[in-house]
Amino acid sequence: MRLGVLDVGSNTVHLLVLDAHRGAHPWPAHSQKERLRLAEQLGEAGELTRAGADALVKACAQARRAAKELEVDELMAFATSAVRDATNSAEVLRRVREEAGVELRVLSGEDEARMTFFAVRRWFGWSAGRMLVLDIGGGSLEIAAGIDEEPALAVSLPLGAGRLTRRFFQSDPPSAAELAELESYVDEQLQHRELDALRGWKMAAATSKTFRSLARLSGAAPSGDGLWSPRAMTRQGLHQVRGFIQRMASSALAELDGVSASRAHQLLAGAVVAEATMRRLGIDELRICPWALREGVILARLDQLTGR
């Protein structure tokens, strides 16, 4: 069966087409991305700007045409925090439906955390035991934990790398005062009372481009080593990376191995969130998982289709 997943995230609109069936690894057949940075295209009232909405409609229409040309059996389209939090989200969704022919499902932050956890569980398997999973996106931070495929705890906080960069950083690299203000805000958000119950996990894992980039800078294997090459990041290693990159302009960061030019300006905010979260939860090391929300959506749908 050929499935398509259209992921409208805070940074990119990503179409992933896979050939999959029950019991088999879902193999990618096609991937295309449009970098829209929707989390950074919000007006003063929190609305997605006209330019941002126009770009989203165009990207969704292109993805729909590509899915049709690739003979996709089913296209699943979902949006995360950038569309979810926009004050004009209903109007934006209407435009995408009527002008691009795509019905976008808006995931709640908790659903996002649950589906990401599900994908990470499937990747590492039952031998991982009780897991804690972190995911830093452009608009939000997702935290989930549990011993089953469905996490016992799923929390979403407004600590996405793009959102925070736009709100707190005016200079490049940011000033000491801007960094201090960001750190204070992140620590305040991480006082979420549900996080006090998080303890006793066997494995702490992380997914998302932000964590992969930070892990690469701390010495993890490059992407060229393949999907199955084990990757991890320690809190000490992350602290050293942060001390290094906070003095660099985003243009210089973009030249480092493992850092994409389109996200370089967000990396420091992501590092602040990652380090503060590891400190808050007492995490010494994170295993990096290549599967995330998109794979979780695909795997859940395959389970429905095959009656698992």
Side-chain angles (χ1 to χ4, degrees), residues 61-108:
Q62 291 174 338
R64 184 174 179 269
R65 287 194 295 270
K68 184 176 181 180
E69 291 171 0
L70 292 164
E71 300 181 339
V72 167
D73 297 300
E74 181 179 350
L75 178 64
M76 299 172 288
F78 63 89
T80 55
S81 63
V83 174
R84 178 173 69 232
D85 297 339
T87 55
N88 60 338
S89 61
E91 171 62 18
V92 171
L93 292 171
R94 182 195 63 78
R95 285 195 60 195
V96 171
R97 180 175 62 253
E98 294 179 359
E99 298 177 34
V102 174
E103 190 74 41
L104 274 180
R105 171 192 173 196
V106 179
L107 297 180
S108 70

Side-chain angles (χ1 to χ4, degrees), residues 153 190-199 280-281:
L153 174 72
L190 287 171
Q191 293 311 305
H192 195 288
R193 65 178 183 275
E194 287 189 79
L195 301 184
D196 294 334
L198 285 176
R199 60 178 62 90
R280 167 74 167 91
L281 300 178

Side-chain angles (χ1 to χ4, degrees), residues 32-302:
Q32 69 181 50
K33 296 180 183 179
E34 291 291 333
R35 293 180 173 87
L36 304 186
R37 297 182 182 175
L38 295 180
E40 300 175 34
Q41 298 198 51
L42 299 177
E44 292 183 1
E47 80 284 3
L48 186 62
T49 63
R50 179 63 187 236
D54 288 347
L56 175 58
V57 169
K58 180 179 178 181
C60 288
Q62 291 174 338
R64 184 174 179 269
R65 287 194 295 270
K68 184 176 181 180
E69 291 171 0
L70 292 164
E71 300 181 339
V72 167
D73 297 300
E74 181 179 350
L75 178 64
M76 299 172 288
F78 63 89
T80 55
S81 63
V83 174
R84 178 173 69 232
D85 297 339
T87 55
N88 60 338
S89 61
E91 171 62 18
V92 171
L93 292 171
R94 182 195 63 78
R95 285 195 60 195
V96 171
R97 180 175 62 253
E98 294 179 359
E99 298 177 34
V102 174
E103 190 74 41
L104 274 180
R105 171 192 173 196
V106 179
L107 297 180
S108 70
E110 290 72 22
D111 284 343
E112 201 175 333
R114 281 192 286 268
M115 295 305 295
T116 300
F117 181 91
F118 176 53
V120 177
R121 167 62 74 193
R122 284 287 177 92
W123 179 267
F124 287 117
W126 295 115
S127 63
R130 188 179 300 277
M131 288 198 320
L132 172 65
V133 176
L134 309 179
D135 179 6
I136 299 174
S140 59
L141 162 69
E142 273 67 54
I143 302 172
I147 197 168
D148 300 317
E149 289 193 332
E150 177 76 11
L153 174 72
V155 173
S156 180
L157 299 173
L159 296 177
R163 180 198 297 268
L164 297 180
T165 298
R166 180 175 181 269
R167 175 174 174 180
F168 289 96
F169 293 167
Q170 303 301 318
S171 51
D172 184 13
S175 67
E178 289 170 350
L179 268 174
E181 187 179 2
L182 171 60
E183 290 168 348
S184 178
Y185 176 79
V186 171
D187 286 340
E188 178 184 337
Q189 290 294 318
L190 287 171
Q191 293 311 305
H192 195 288
R193 65 178 183 275
E194 287 189 79
L195 301 184
D196 294 334
L198 285 176
R199 60 178 62 90
W201 57 82
K202 180 181 177 183
M203 176 189 290
T207 185
S208 75
K209 179 64 174 177
T210 294
F211 275 115
R212 290 196 298 273
S213 294
L214 292 170
R216 177 69 190 110
L217 293 178
S218 71
S223 59
D225 282 11
L227 199 63
W228 287 276
S229 182
R231 294 174 176 88
M233 178 175 67
T234 65
R235 194 188 335 170
Q236 180 180 6
L238 172 59
H239 181 72
Q240 292 172 343
V241 166
R242 189 198 144 171
F244 175 64
I245 67 174
Q246 70 184 28
R247 299 179 178 87
M248 299 178 66
S250 58
S251 58
L253 277 175
E255 296 178 2
L256 299 178
D257 184 30
V259 179
S260 63
S262 63
R263 294 177 187 246
H265 67 297
Q266 302 179 9
L267 190 61
L268 179 56
V272 170
V273 173
E275 185 176 15
T277 304
M278 292 180 76
R279 181 174 60 249
R280 167 74 167 91
L281 300 178
I283 301 169
D284 293 321
E285 182 179 72
L286 287 167
R287 295 278 300 278
I288 306 301
C289 179
W291 278 4
L293 179 59
R294 281 184 296 275
E295 287 78 13
V297 170
I298 292 164
L299 292 166
R301 182 59 178 147
L302 283 174

